[in-house]
Amino acid sequence: MSDYDQQKIQNESVRYPQKPSPLPSSNDPRKYPSSPRRSPAKTLCTFLLILVILAGLVVLILWLVYRPHKPNFSLVGAAIYDLNVTSPPYMSTTMQFTALARNPNRRVRLDYDQFSAIVYYKGQAITPPVVLPPLFQKTKSTVILSPLIRGASVPVSVEVANGLLIDEVYGVVGLRLVLMGKMRYKAGFVKTKHYEVYVKCDMLVGYKKGFMGQVPLLGSPDCQLDL
């Protein structure tokens, strides 16, 4: 390029200067790029997830602190005032049992509701269920239950009627006391849901026909709890 052409380009640049590019205004989106907006549904889901995690942590902490244990039941006494078979096979029964309910928890109370007791012989009920009053058991405590269970003209099978007559001759009768109802744990203001409780106590008692009163428990009666 000749000196003349260079001089011409410089002169034109002076005569017609280039306009500077305009600065972006405050309303120009190029100056402040907008951040992506979060949808309300996603925000709500995040909040609920955090709430569920916090609730789970609270439940875990409470369980680690209190650790509720199942109650313990034991049978310590039995009395028979009436145990007769009439025909066609009906059974009349009046019995009283003494059971101990122990709460092994240091910080948790036990609330029993809709509790009832019934007696079985050879797998068949020989008394109607007897409703027991509600029980509120304090921590580390033992409560005595002494239900009086009566049944008049309860229909039974021939096998049950004959089996009882034979056992009375030998002087040993096998019975089962069943306690059933609902229970829940309570620690302070926290209450759990109701759990179904089923307690069965199998025993052998020394009994002969015509005897009335306290009967000996042969061996160690076994009480099992299903919760």
Side-chain angles (χ1 to χ4, degrees), residues 87-205:
S87 43
Y90 289 105
M91 188 171 292
S92 298
T93 309
T94 302
M95 301 180 180
Q96 187 170 22
F97 299 91
T98 302
L100 302 180
R102 179 176 177 270
N103 179 10
N105 298 284
R106 294 181 179 273
R107 301 182 180 90
V108 180
R109 194 182 82 178
L110 303 179
D111 293 349
Y112 296 92
D113 194 16
Q114 301 179 20
F115 227 43
S116 61
I118 189 172
V119 179
Y120 286 83
Y121 173 76
K122 293 187 178 298
Q124 185 173 349
I126 60 174
T127 67
V130 176
V131 179
L132 304 180
L135 174 61
F136 306 100
Q137 191 169 8
K138 297 181 180 180
T139 59
K140 298 293 290 184
S141 64
T142 301
V143 177
I144 300 176
L145 304 175
S146 296
L148 181 63
I149 307 174
R150 294 177 177 176
S153 301
V154 178
V156 294
S157 65
V158 176
E159 291 78 12
V160 167
N162 293 335
L164 179 60
L165 294 176
I166 295 174
D167 288 346
E168 287 177 337
V169 173
Y170 282 100
V172 178
V173 178
L175 300 172
R176 170 177 288 181
L177 172 67
V178 173
L179 303 172
M180 50 189 173
K182 295 183 178 181
M183 185 205 74
R184 67 180 176 182
Y185 299 99
K186 182 179 180 182
F189 62 89
V190 179
K191 294 181 181 180
T192 66
K193 67 176 183 179
H194 281 95
Y195 296 94
E196 297 290 338
V197 177
Y198 186 88
V199 182
K200 56 182 180 180
C201 298
D202 293 324
M203 72 195 88
L204 291 175
V205 298

Side-chain angles (χ1 to χ4, degrees), residues 36-43 46:
R37 296 182 178 178
R38 299 187 66 179
S39 64
K42 189 173 182 180
T43 302
T46 303

